[in-house]
């Protein structure tokens, strides 16, 4: 997987997890405060689209995750 794929996977996982923990109808409900984490992930994705600043991207690069799959798609 590439850096972009990992970032999308992490964001999607954390949005789904925080919704499961923050929505009262969920069997995993803990507290409505988990919805703040959903908002944080969304805000981070939004700002990174304009600034290019994504802490997870930097961490993944330092861990040696490839930038692209190489080759044509």
């Amino acid at each position: 997987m590439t850096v972009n794929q990992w970032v999308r996977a992490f964001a999607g996982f954390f949005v789904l997890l925080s919704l499961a923990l923050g929505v009262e109808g969920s069997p995993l409900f803990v507290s409505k405060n988990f919805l703040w984490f959903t908002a944080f992930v969304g805000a981070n994705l939004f700002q990174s689209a304009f600034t290019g600043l994504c802490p997870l991207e930097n961490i993944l690069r330092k861990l040696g995750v490839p930038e692209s799959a190489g080759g044509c798609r």
Side-chain angles (χ1 to χ4, degrees):
M1 284 177 58
T2 65
V3 170
N4 280 335
Q5 290 169 322
W6 275 107
V7 169
R8 291 176 184 171
F10 268 84
F13 172 77
F14 281 117
V15 165
L16 292 174
L17 178 65
S18 61
L19 286 173
L21 296 172
V23 174
E24 287 187 34
S26 168
L28 301 176
F29 175 75
V30 175
S31 169
K32 283 188 176 185
N33 288 325
F34 276 101
L35 296 178
W36 286 106
F37 192 67
T38 307
F40 171 76
V41 172
N44 191 32
L45 286 169
F46 184 74
Q47 70 79 25
S48 72
F50 295 100
T51 66
L53 177 65
C54 179
L56 178 59
E57 227 175 73
N58 296 333
I59 292 168
L60 291 171
R61 283 188 190 120
K62 288 180 182 179
L63 290 174
V65 175
E67 286 289 324
S68 65
C72 298
R73 284 193 170 224

